[in-house]
Amino acid sequence: MDDCLSYSYHMDDEIARFIRRVNPPKVVIDNDVYKNVTVIKVDSANKHGILLEVVQVLTDLNLTIKKAYISSDGGWFMDVFNVTNQDGNKVTDEIVLDYIRKSLGPDESSCFSPRSTIGVKQSVDFTVIELTGTDRPGLLSELCAVLTDLQCNVVNAEIWTHRAKAAAVLQVTDEETCSAVTDPERLSKIRKLLGYVLTGGSRSRRCREPKTTVSSSLNADRKLHQLMFADRDYDEWENYVDDEDKIGRVVPDVDVSNLHDLDYSIVMIKCKDRPKLLFDTVFTLTDMKYVVSHASIDAEGPEAYQEYYIRHTDGSPVKSEAERQRVIKCLKAAIQRRVFEGLMLELCTSDRVGLLSDVTRIFRENSLTVTRAEVKTKGGKALNTFYVRDASGYEVDAKTIDSIRQVIGQKILQVKGGNTEVKPSSQESQTGFLFGVFKSRSFVNFGLIRS
């Protein structure tokens, strides 16, 4: 069976290369036609998932897609994207433009494949840990404390919470070797203890067992969407939509209807625009085995309008009302997962083992819960972003943030968003007690696991 699958994959790759040689992709980048945007045109032989790969490349480069026109009905794929850089200007960096041409163009090394990841930079080997379970205050702190106690350093991480669900993709290295953890017994112990934390020590509570893999690259966005989808966070929509209205979150408007004479289903989306919105919706449709035959995207204002003409991979439109409702729920969930709640805090300091555990413990001790986090390590520096809110549901108190910053360091932890204005303390702490006096506490001291 494995030999047959291997042969099938090999043949698929050979056919893809042959089609690519006969009809090589063409990428045209135009900075002259419009005053404020760069136009990127991609023409290529069509295949399932190619739209996602193109959007992935542009998203990984932190480009903003203002408008897009997609046509991929039949054997040919033709896309036009109007994009800007993060500052809202044309893309003029030749390194970025050359990367786009090579990634989307006829270069064999950049060949589209559902088993390859485009736009993700290689790094030293690390162990990838995938987690999903029921969210609760202090969960991230407990998970980080376990990893610190097991001599694992979290070098990169993405953590999402959505409708009482939590998902995380962590990239960790061994404290001594600074490389991936490969010992089977140690990996088994890591999975066991993290699973214990996810269930809160209760055997009756069900959760997916933590998964560990050794890798040198990873697309965390895709994996987090898949983890949330597998945990069926979209089924919780009715229970939380009223609460989201009350706290001021704008609920996305999504509708699905059929064009029976053309065998298409039309997906209409209207919501507040944000970075990576197009990636999230295109990925969801692709992962649910739908093919986008035509699409029109308009995100030039504060709101985004997306219109997709979709079919199943077997060529049929949405077949039932139950399926229609499922598509609507899944798209709404995909849009909302990345919408942050609470106050945005940025931490920048020298990286060390236990740093994330210490910081999240301080948040927990001050009744703050982390709704989303992005952890990066670059050149020995920790560049972490946290979105926090009060565990009781109230607005974050400015005095609480001020006391936390005095402990961690006023210049190390910065407030970057929200309605809370924090004025510097008269006795400003630049390094804080966190990085000077006390050492990281062992997770055993929390009483959650035995020594």
Side-chain angles (χ1 to χ4, degrees), residues 146-175:
V146 165
L147 291 171
T148 299
D149 203 57
L150 294 171
Q151 288 81 52
C152 293
N153 185 34
V154 181
V155 292
N156 297 293
E158 285 271 359
I159 299 98
W160 291 359
T161 63
H162 183 237
R163 299 178 193 155
K165 305 288 186 180
V169 176
L170 312 175
Q171 300 170 4
V172 304
T173 57
D174 178 77
E175 179 180 354

Side-chain angles (χ1 to χ4, degrees), residues 320-334:
S320 66
E321 178 61 23
E323 182 184 356
R324 174 180 172 274
Q325 291 298 329
R326 185 170 181 264
V327 173
I328 291 174
K329 288 180 180 180
C330 290
L331 285 170
K332 286 183 176 181

Side-chain angles (χ1 to χ4, degrees), residues 49 94 173 175 254 385:
E94 280 301 324
T173 57
E175 179 180 354
V254 180
T385 302

Side-chain angles (χ1 to χ4, degrees), residues 118-131:
I118 296 178
V120 178
K121 297 179 180 179
Q122 299 294 314
S123 63
V124 295
D125 285 347
F126 44 70
T127 301
V128 178
I129 302 176
E130 300 170 9
L131 304 169

Side-chain angles (χ1 to χ4, degrees), residues 194-238:
L194 291 178
Y196 184 90
V197 173
L198 287 172
T199 59
S202 173
R203 293 183 178 179
S204 61
R205 184 178 296 178
R206 300 176 62 184
C207 75
R208 300 171 68 87
E209 179 180 308
K211 181 180 177 182
T212 59
T213 57
V214 178
S215 176
S216 60
S217 65
L218 177 72
N219 188 286
D221 291 337
R222 293 190 181 198
K223 182 54 65 177
L224 286 167
H225 275 302
Q226 290 172 336
L227 289 172
M228 284 289 195
F229 181 85
D231 214 17
R232 301 180 68 89
D233 68 324
Y234 56 87
D235 276 344
E236 302 292 328
W237 179 259
E238 290 84 357

Side-chain angles (χ1 to χ4, degrees), residues 84-146:
T84 63
N85 59 21
Q86 287 181 297
D87 298 323
N89 301 318
K90 288 183 178 182
V91 183
T92 56
D93 189 335
E94 280 301 324
I95 295 177
V96 174
L97 297 177
D98 188 54
Y99 177 82
I100 294 172
R101 293 187 187 99
K102 289 182 178 179
S103 297
L104 305 180
D107 187 359
E108 284 284 340
S109 63
S110 304
C111 186
F112 293 117
S113 170
R115 296 183 295 281
S116 68
T117 304
I118 296 178
V120 178
K121 297 179 180 179
Q122 299 294 314
S123 63
V124 295
D125 285 347
F126 44 70
T127 301
V128 178
I129 302 176
E130 300 170 9
L131 304 169
T132 182
T134 302
D135 188 29
R136 67 175 188 275
L139 176 61
L140 178 59
S141 173
E142 296 171 16
L143 293 170
C144 293
V146 165

